[in-house]
Amino acid sequence: MNNIISAIINLVNNPKTMLIREGDSHNRANNMGGALEEYIKDLFAGTVEEKDLQIRNAVLSSTFSYLGNQNNPPDSMLFGGDAIEVKKIENKDSALALNSSYPKAKLYADSPMINKACRECENWAEKDMIYAVGVVDGNNLTSLAFVYGVDYCADKETYENIKAIIKTGVESIPNVEFAESKELGRVNRVDPLGITYLRIRGMWGIENPFTVFNYIYKRDFSNAFNFMCVINDDKFNSFENTTDLYDLSDKNKNLSISDVRIKDPNNPARLKEAKLITFFVGEEK
């Protein structure tokens, strides 16, 4: 079964970081966010070099139980494995724009943010969430980070609580006609004709993983490509193919696996045992 370890192995064995696949259409070439999502799928499926689209589609179908859309998280889900959310940034220090969806430590099948196809694609109740964050310069991927939501953001109660407080406060404003809404609020009959309404939405954002984990890892910008992955020990030890990754690190000097301690997102005073996996491609001479 493919997982984050096999995706890292695929990346190290074939560090191809040009996001445009051979045969891509002009429209797709102009959509680097979509191109990054396709690249991440290829890393997990092992199809980065696959030129036959029928073969690629078949491999993706056997790797993923769900391939999403731009309006609902996640971007993909591995059969019997993790959910994946892909985010593109163009500046090395930019924060991630999450829009109306707050950060997710885990993905739950009963979440109102996911669609029916995602909920019913396999028998599941909750999945760990991988954030795959890429720094894109033109057609090139210059940096990539894999982090788990449980190591990156707080439990859902933290975000739900602040959302509820704001929603209650907004709806307590006098002399305004509110309507039921899944958002922070909706005001009806704003104008004298009663035909205009106002939607009040949250726009969530979070600092990128390179900023959040800068106390254990800093990129070398002289490299053509930098990769970082943080996995807590409990999750890392649940994978059956970690030996393959250690064997690869013995053969490839650019790949490193280190024991680190990371801050618990729910209580930074508590440190979690974790693995820091890094890889780089040196500057071309």
Side-chain angles (χ1 to χ4, degrees), residues 19 32-33 36-37 39-40 85-92 94-96 131-137 140-146 208-210 219 225-228:
L19 293 180
M32 285 300 99
L36 177 61
E37 290 179 19
Y39 177 78
I40 298 301
E85 186 74 7
V86 180
K87 293 295 179 183
K88 173 188 75 77
I89 56 177
E90 295 180 355
N91 183 294
K92 61 184 176 64
S94 294
L96 310 186
Y131 281 90
V133 180
V135 183
V136 176
D137 180 12
N140 294 311
L141 181 64
T142 61
S143 299
L144 179 64
F146 287 167
N208 76 63
F210 295 109
R219 286 166 288 178
F225 174 74
N226 294 286
F227 171 77
M228 173 195 81

Side-chain angles (χ1 to χ4, degrees), residues 212-282:
V212 173
F213 292 100
N214 64 3
Y215 60 95
I216 58 171
Y217 173 76
K218 286 181 170 50
R219 286 166 288 178
D220 181 347
F221 294 109
S222 68
N223 292 329
F225 174 74
N226 294 286
F227 171 77
M228 173 195 81
C229 178
V230 176
I231 310 177
N232 65 81
D233 275 4
D234 287 342
K235 185 67 178 183
F236 185 84
N237 293 332
S238 72
F239 296 121
E240 297 180 351
N241 55 341
T242 56
T243 299
D244 296 335
L245 187 64
Y246 278 112
D247 290 344
L248 185 58
S249 70
D250 290 337
K251 301 173 184 175
N252 192 318
K253 62 181 177 59
N254 294 358
L255 173 65
S256 174
I257 307 169
S258 305
D259 292 316
V260 294
R261 304 180 78 193
I262 60 173
K263 299 174 185 177
D264 186 326
N266 294 296
N267 179 9
R270 177 176 175 267
L271 299 180
K272 300 166 62 176
E273 303 294 331
K275 296 292 184 288
L276 171 66
I277 304 164
T278 64
F279 172 68
F280 69 90
V281 176

Side-chain angles (χ1 to χ4, degrees), residues 21-24 28 50-58:
R21 291 176 58 89
E22 184 175 325
D24 273 347
R28 185 162 159 194
E50 183 54 64
K51 295 180 175 59
D52 188 316
L53 293 183
Q54 292 190 65
I55 294 176
R56 178 177 182 263
N57 288 339

Side-chain angles (χ1 to χ4, degrees), residues 6-21:
S6 51
I8 296 170
I9 291 171
N10 290 335
L11 171 65
V12 175
N13 284 333
N14 186 14
K16 181 179 179 181
T17 55
M18 178 72 72
L19 293 180
I20 301 302
R21 291 176 58 89

Side-chain angles (χ1 to χ4, degrees), residues 40-68:
I40 298 301
K41 292 176 191 175
D42 285 330
L43 284 183
F44 278 86
T47 52
V48 172
E49 292 286 5
E50 183 54 64
K51 295 180 175 59
D52 188 316
L53 293 183
Q54 292 190 65
I55 294 176
R56 178 177 182 263
N57 288 339
V59 175
L60 293 183
S61 180
S62 64
T63 301
F64 299 97
S65 61
Y66 175 76
L67 296 175

Side-chain angles (χ1 to χ4, degrees), residues 93-137:
D93 296 319
S94 294
L96 310 186
L98 303 178
N99 300 322
S100 59
S101 179
Y102 57 74
K104 292 177 175 57
K106 288 179 177 285
L107 187 71
Y108 296 93
D110 61 358
S111 169
M113 298 299 294
I114 67 174
N115 61 30
K116 181 180 178 182
C118 178
R119 188 172 292 110
E120 298 179 354
C121 66
E122 59 176 291
N123 185 18
W124 67 286
E126 70 176 54
K127 284 180 176 280
D128 288 334
M129 176 75 85
I130 300 170
Y131 281 90
V133 180
V135 183
V136 176
D137 180 12

